[in-house]
Amino acid sequence: MSGRLGHQPKGLGLRSVAGQVFALQAVIVVLLVTVGALALIFQARYDTERDARNRSLAAAEAFAHAPGLVDSLRAPDPTALLQTRAESVRQASGLDFLAVMTPDGIRYTDSRPELIGQRSTGDFARARGGESFTEIFHGEPSDAVRAIVPVRTEDGDIVGLVSTGIEIENVGNVVEDQLPLLLGTAAGALVLAVGGAALVSRRLRRQTHGLGPVEMTRINEHHEAVLHAVREGVLIIDADLRLLLANDEARRLLDLAPDAEQRHVNELGLDPRTAALLSSGRIVNDEVHLAGDRLLAVNVRPTAPYRGRPTGTVMTLRDSTELATVSGRAEVARGRLQLLYEAGVRIGTTLDVVRTAEELSEVAVPRFAEFVTVELLEPVLRGEEPSGAFTEMRRTALTGFRAEHPFQPVGDLIRCVVPTTPMAMALDSGHAVLVEDLHTADGWRAQDPEGAAAALAYGLHSLVAVPVLARGVVLGMANFWRAGTQEAFGEEDLTFAEELTARAAVSIDNARRFTREHEMAVTLQRSLLPRILPDLSAVDVAYRYLPAKAGVGGDWFDVIPLPGARVALVVGDVVGHGLHAAATMGRLRTAVHNFSTLDLPPDELLGHLDELIDRIDRIDRGSDGESPGGSGSERVSGAGSGFDAKAGTELAGPAEDRSAGGSTAGGSAGGDEGRERITGATCLYVIYDPADGRCIMARAGHPGPALVHQDGRVEFPEMPSGLPLGVGGMPFETTELYLPEGSRLVLFTDGLLVDRDRDFDTGLALLGEALATTGRSPQQACTDVLAALLVPAPDDDIALLVADTRRLEAARIAEWDVPADPAHVSRVRNAGAEQLASWGLDGIAFTAELILSELITNAIRYGAEPIRVRLLRDRRLICEIFDGSSTAPHLRYAATTDEGGRGLFLVAQFAERWGTRYTERGKVIWAELPLTTQDSELPAMAVPDLDALEDLAW
């Protein structure tokens, strides 16, 4: 090594550091000089061009403001007056051209007389606008730096333009004249810089002794190894197998003599196997060698050869005896950290209390314990708040490394009645309790002698009992058991067991609280949904409702009987989950029921529902500006009402006075700003008329229905989607269909179709396939749909409503057109009596004739044509009188002096129900009667002759 350090190359060869530095400096100097020269050339060109612009603009400004120029431009022959003058100015200014032009660019003068009278090229709009400017002009007769200045009169009018400039060629000539000086300067700078680089490189060569980068890097590596690898022994052996360097750690590990340097490896007193390794030149990695009572991990690497000759060997040594102990502790700590990380990922994946307890036990087995048992308090399992008593718990989870075990099974009641048991002590103190040897746990053995004996015989020998605590409240107990040959738990295991259990306790408490809210929401949801659907002639209905596993939402459905044997089918969805969504669903369902009593078309009903939701939201937020008893509790009164004859109470009012702010919503007033909004609810409202198969529907952001034909063909009718309820501002639109005989309507919420692994279109296709099977009842169709689309754990509520539509037979419908003449009342009344007799309804014929007579008479007197009467024989006898007027009757008590006003009162007394609904071209007044007199007793009152009723007014 010392001989090579004395070697000094004579020149600045590129193999030496000095030569490489010189080459690098030379390249940098050339680049800098070149860039500087180019920069000077461009700067000179830029300065020359800027000077040309300034000279051109100054000359043009001076000439444009010269006295007499304006008068010359107004003269008959401006060219004769200005050509000579302009040329003299141009020559004096050193310009290449000076032209006087009209505002349109026609030359009066020019340095080239042949161009006078021609239009100059370029855009003079800026000059005509009064602006002076310069530009680089490209075009005929030549490229130039040009200035354009307008010539103004005293009034500011522009009467001409002055154009001056210098040709680009002449500008470039100026720069070319300066090139010799610039290049000479650059060459001088280059010579000086290269000379300086040569001097610096010579000085560097002397200081580095001519060494190249490889040699200097090797020397640096040797020193770095000695200085920084202080925990490892380092030996450097030269090509002659003599020791060149041994650091302090190597001397200690090998017990080398102080004068070991320069000795041959066979003279160092090394283990023969280690000396043979150094002599062999082999490359080894972590090969174990003996050095006294130590085991050394040896690594050997040769140094890089120089000029084809080997240069030596480097050996590093580590004491694996000490390292094994440290590595073992580090490995245990790393394993614990990894286990805690996995616990954070694997525990609490569901909001189920039992499953969370099972996850705790599964994580700890077998890496921390052979068996883990988890017991929870009974209230925790039910989702309730713990009572504070924890002497009895229910075993919830048990996981072990073997199937057979000596423990009580899951589901058994575990009691902690002996206060000295590890479990009772842990629960009392709130901290983990360690039992290194279960043979010494007298309290544990005393509590269950037979069970303890079986456990000890099985091989259980150590225990850590940890209370499951959340928010300072005891939820249960986790016990970690070790058996077999694994070592007993130690003090360091306590902290880990507590940390692992604490992570699980948070998840268990979250699951408990979710269970409580989920059960409350499910109970509330089911109490608000219809329990028994009405038995109707119009439809045969089946339904399914499934709450989401992650939390009850706000899905609902309804089947609402309407007058005229019609039926309303409703499905809705409230965005969100939990108690609020369930309560909101109840409010909306009640509102739909109340609005349906007004017998509104679907689009109007959704419009009122939308206004109601917005009003409820504003009142709940305290931003309505009204008292709780204000308009939020206004009545909806008037003619467009249903009327319950038994109660004698008017339900709703005229179409023009209906308000969405009525008390039908049942919404509470108040300013609870923390309450969630209802905005985001969706709804589909369908009305089906079995008399003619007419189906009218509208939706507010909800999926449309599926229509299944008798042949199994499934279609999804196109209909306007509408905005969700509560958004407001846009009207809803209806879609009208005429359903064929035996059609099936399927209404559903999007939770049936959409899942985390399935989009809406895919779900729609699956639904169509499930509904295509013919010959299935509505109940069977519901089963088919859920079998095809239901996932094990739905993310959202599912509401499904399947309705087979029916048509009323023609023989059960009777209709008559009535001219607007009171003389025809008797004819229609008698025809109705004959129809009732053919239906076998003679028992109610008198009541029906009375009602028909009264309603037809009043339609003729106060209504408008066309007037039509229809009788429907369904589960009730339905009398319907259509007329073209929107004026509705009002029920009132007639005074003793009134000549009329008693007819509608009689109708209300004899009919089971009556009311009014509006159509596109008028209204329908309807009344329902039981099919037999036994179904309803007639009121005890004096009834006049039927013909006399025609004289009674409303």
Side-chain angles (χ1 to χ4, degrees):
M1 179 69 70
S2 61
R4 295 185 57 196
L5 287 175
H7 175 69
Q8 299 182 13
K10 295 181 179 180
L12 293 176
L14 292 180
R15 293 185 58 187
S16 67
V17 174
Q20 293 181 10
V21 170
F22 173 78
L24 180 60
Q25 286 180 326
V27 171
I28 294 174
V29 166
V30 171
L31 290 176
L32 291 176
V33 171
T34 302
V35 172
L38 291 176
L40 289 175
I41 291 172
F42 284 116
Q43 182 65 37
R45 186 175 183 85
Y46 171 78
D47 293 340
T48 304
E49 183 181 306
R50 182 177 60 181
D51 179 68
R53 286 177 180 266
N54 295 337
R55 286 170 54 198
S56 299
L57 183 61
E61 288 281 358
F63 196 88
H65 294 86
L69 180 59
V70 174
D71 295 335
S72 298
L73 290 174
R74 290 175 174 173
D77 188 4
T79 300
L81 299 175
L82 297 174
Q83 175 65 16
T84 303
R85 182 179 174 186
E87 274 300 291
S88 63
V89 172
R90 180 187 69 80
Q91 295 174 1
S93 301
L95 302 174
D96 290 330
F97 64 87
L98 188 153
V100 181
M101 303 175 290
T102 67
D104 295 329
I106 305 299
R107 293 181 177 90
Y108 286 138
T109 72
D110 197 279
S111 57
R112 299 183 184 180
E114 67 273 12
L115 297 179
I116 295 175
Q118 296 183 15
R119 182 182 299 276
S120 177
T121 57
D123 184 9
F124 302 103
R126 295 165 58 189
R128 287 196 296 271
E131 180 183 357
S132 299
F133 64 95
T134 61
E135 63 180 2
I136 302 298
F137 172 76
H138 298 282
E140 295 297 329
S142 62
D143 297 344
V145 177
R146 183 171 69 174
I148 307 295
V149 177
V151 180
R152 299 176 182 271
T153 65
E154 293 181 356
D155 297 331
D157 298 332
I158 296 173
V159 296
L161 305 174
V162 176
S163 173
T164 61
I166 300 174
E167 294 180 356
I168 296 297
E169 182 180 359
N170 294 333
V171 175
N173 291 337
V174 175
V175 177
E176 293 174 359
D177 293 339
Q178 297 177 358
L179 281 179
L181 177 60
L182 294 175
L183 294 177
T185 303
L190 179 60
V191 170
L192 291 175
V194 171
L199 293 176
V200 172
S201 299
R202 179 179 294 274
R203 178 64 176 171
L204 181 61
R205 181 176 63 85
R206 292 175 179 173
Q207 292 182 347
T208 59
H209 303 284
L211 292 175
V214 175
E215 292 88 350
M216 296 187 66
T217 302
R218 183 180 298 111
I219 294 173
N220 182 66
E221 287 175 350
H222 293 170
H223 287 286
E224 289 292 327
V226 173
L227 292 175
H228 299 293
V230 292
R231 294 296 300 170
E232 290 188 355
V234 178
L235 296 178
I236 301 178
I237 310 297
D238 66 7
D240 297 329
L241 298 182
R242 293 188 177 277
L243 179 63
L244 293 180
L245 176 66
N247 71 346
D248 293 340
E249 185 69 7
R251 292 177 182 274
R252 184 182 71 85
L253 295 175
L254 298 176
D255 195 20
L256 296 177
D259 57 348
E261 279 84 357
Q262 300 303 322
R263 288 186 182 184
H264 195 276
V265 294
N266 293 329
E267 300 173 356
L268 297 176
L270 301 178
D271 179 76
R273 185 164 169 256
T274 305
L277 173 62
L278 291 173
S279 301
S280 66
R282 289 191 299 115
I283 299 175
V284 297
N285 293 315
D286 291 332
E287 186 173 295
V288 178
H289 286 253
L290 183 64
D293 58 350
R294 297 187 180 93
L295 292 178
L296 303 181
V298 177
N299 293 273
V300 177
R301 290 289 187 279
T303 57
Y306 180 72
R307 293 186 177 182
R309 298 177 57 190
T311 57
T313 304
V314 176
M315 172 187 282
T316 61
L317 311 165
R318 292 198 312 273
D319 189 349
S320 59
T321 308
E322 298 176 0
L323 186 62
T325 303
V326 177
S327 299
R329 291 196 297 266
E331 183 63 24
V332 171
R334 188 195 64 81
R336 296 287 172 84
L337 290 175
Q338 180 66 24
L339 187 57
L340 286 176
Y341 170 77
E342 292 181 11
V345 175
R346 293 174 55 184
I347 298 176
T349 59
T350 67
L351 288 172
D352 182 82
V353 174
V354 175
R355 181 55 194 152
T356 304
E358 292 173 348
E359 289 170 344
L360 168 60
S361 63
E362 291 168 359
V363 164
V365 174
R367 286 186 288 175
F368 181 66
E370 274 77 23
F371 289 95
V372 176
T373 59
V374 181
E375 293 82 40
L376 296 179
L377 296 172
E378 292 280 4
V380 174
L381 293 172
R382 296 192 300 267
E384 301 172 2
E385 193 74 23
S387 61
F390 42 75
T391 57
E392 293 184 354
M393 300 183 185
R394 185 73 59 181
R395 176 148 290 166
T396 309
L398 191 161
T399 301
F401 75 120
R402 295 176 185 168
E404 69 279 2
H405 56 79
F407 299 99
Q408 293 177 248
V410 171
D412 274 14
L413 195 63
I414 307 300
R415 295 180 173 85
C416 300
V417 294
V418 178
T420 57
T421 62
M423 296 77 172
M425 295 170 63
L427 292 171
D428 288 335
S429 64
H431 296 286
V433 172
L434 168 66
V435 180
E436 295 187 20
D437 187 358
L438 286 173
H439 293 85
T440 63
D442 297 333
W444 173 68
R445 299 175 65 181
Q447 179 169 273
D448 183 9
E450 294 182 2
L456 292 173
Y458 183 84
L460 297 177
H461 61 80
S462 188
L463 164 69
V464 174
V466 187
V468 179
L469 296 173
R471 300 174 289 108
V473 178
V474 173
L475 305 179
M477 167 69 61
N479 299 304
F480 302 89
W481 308 81
R482 280 186 178 174
T485 59
Q486 187 171 350
E487 64 180 7
F489 288 112
E491 292 294 336
E492 67 275 6
D493 295 316
L494 285 178
T495 303
F496 175 78
E498 285 186 329
E499 176 67 19
L500 184 62
T501 306
R503 295 193 178 197
V506 174
S507 298
I508 291 174
D509 191 49
N510 288 339
R512 177 195 64 79
R513 292 197 286 181
F514 170 79
T515 300
R516 178 184 60 184
E517 183 174 340
H518 182 76
E519 291 297 327
M520 294 173 62
V522 168
T523 303
L524 176 62
Q525 181 88 332
R526 294 193 182 280
S527 69
L528 295 175
L529 288 171
R531 300 183 180 181
I532 301 177
L533 295 181
D535 187 13
L536 303 172
S537 301
V539 290
D540 181 16
V541 179
Y543 70 91
R544 295 288 188 276
Y545 171 77
L546 285 83
K549 295 296 183 182
V552 175
D555 291 15
W556 92 92
F557 63 90
D558 226 326
V559 178
I560 305 173
L562 297 178
R566 297 169 305 131
V567 62
L569 306 175
V570 191
V571 169
D573 186 2
V574 175
V575 174
H577 294 85
L579 289 173
H580 175 76
T584 300
M585 177 277 295
R587 300 169 82 180
L588 293 183
R589 180 172 176 252
T590 301
V592 170
H593 260 280
N594 289 338
F595 283 134
S596 67
T597 62
L598 302 178
D599 214 344
L600 300 172
D603 57 336
E604 290 188 27
L605 184 142
L606 291 180
H608 286 294
L609 195 62
D610 182 59
E611 293 180 19
L612 177 63
I613 288 176
D614 180 68
R615 185 173 183 81
I616 291 175
D617 280 337
R618 286 189 285 112
I619 292 177
D620 286 347
R621 296 194 312 270
S623 59
D624 195 47
E626 299 177 2
S627 64
S631 61
S633 56
E634 295 172 358
R635 289 185 55 83
V636 182
S637 59
S641 62
F643 190 90
D644 189 335
K646 304 300 181 185
T649 305
E650 188 173 359
L651 298 180
E656 62 271 19
D657 291 334
R658 288 192 295 266
S659 168
S663 59
T664 56
S668 63
D672 187 4
E673 296 180 0
R675 182 175 295 176
E676 299 179 42
R677 299 191 63 184
I678 304 177
T679 301
T682 64
C683 184
L684 171 64
Y685 191 83
V686 179
I687 296 178
Y688 172 69
D689 190 344
D692 55 7
R694 185 172 179 235
C695 182
I696 305 175
M697 60 186 77
R699 60 174 176 161
H702 198 87
L707 176 59
V708 186
H709 298 269
Q710 276 190 317
D711 58 1
R713 182 167 50 90
V714 181
E715 63 175 302
F716 298 92
E718 292 289 338
M719 57 184 302
S721 62
L723 295 175
L725 298 172
V727 176
M730 297 297 292
F732 299 95
E733 301 180 60
T734 59
T735 299
E736 184 173 325
L737 302 172
Y738 283 90
L739 304 185
E741 185 79 22
S743 298
R744 171 174 289 172
L745 279 174
V746 180
L747 286 70
F748 50 87
T749 56
D750 57 1
L752 178 67
L753 306 182
V754 180
D755 192 70
R756 66 186 65 181
D757 300 321
R758 184 175 62 208
D759 59 20
F760 183 84
D761 293 335
T762 302
L764 209 62
L766 292 175
L767 177 62
E769 295 174 3
L771 294 173
T773 306
T774 58
R776 306 288 285 174
S777 68
Q779 290 288 353
Q780 292 170 333
C782 289
T783 302
D784 294 343
V785 169
L786 293 183
L789 283 93
L790 185 63
V791 296
D795 296 328
D796 196 3
D797 287 16
I798 295 175
L800 174 65
L801 191 64
V802 178
D804 281 358
T805 61
R806 304 191 185 105
R807 297 283 287 273
L808 288 179
E809 299 89 344
R812 298 170 64 182
I813 303 174
E815 295 184 275
W816 300 276
D817 291 326
V818 182
D821 184 356
H824 292 276
V825 176
S826 299
R827 176 183 64 81
V828 177
R829 187 181 67 221
N830 294 332
E834 294 176 2
Q835 183 63 57
L836 292 176
S838 67
W839 286 341
L841 301 178
D842 299 282
I844 62 171
F846 177 79
T847 305
E849 288 183 62
L850 185 150
I851 292 174
L852 281 174
S853 178
E854 168 60 22
L855 296 181
I856 295 172
T857 301
N858 285 282
I860 293 173
R861 288 185 178 182
Y862 304 107
E865 293 188 302
I867 301 173
R868 185 163 52 89
V869 176
R870 184 170 74 170
L871 294 180
L872 303 176
R873 186 184 185 278
D874 191 35
R875 299 172 188 267
R876 299 282 187 272
L877 177 66
I878 303 169
C879 305
E880 296 180 335
I881 291 80
F882 301 77
D883 72 81
S885 171
S886 61
T887 303
H890 293 268
L891 182 65
R892 62 186 178 87
Y893 286 98
T896 55
T897 56
D898 290 342
E899 296 182 0
R902 298 177 178 85
L904 190 61
F905 184 77
L906 292 176
V907 172
Q909 292 296 310
F910 282 96
E912 189 174 66
R913 290 199 314 147
W914 74 277
T916 303
R917 72 173 182 269
Y918 293 91
T919 65
E920 296 178 358
R921 295 182 178 85
K923 68 178 181 297
V924 179
I925 302 178
W926 54 271
E928 292 184 0
L929 290 84
L931 297 182
T932 61
T933 55
Q934 289 80 8
D935 294 341
S936 178
E937 297 181 359
L938 292 177
M941 57 180 297
V943 180
D945 183 76
L946 293 180
D947 292 327
L949 286 174
E950 299 174 8
D951 297 329
L952 294 176
W954 289 16

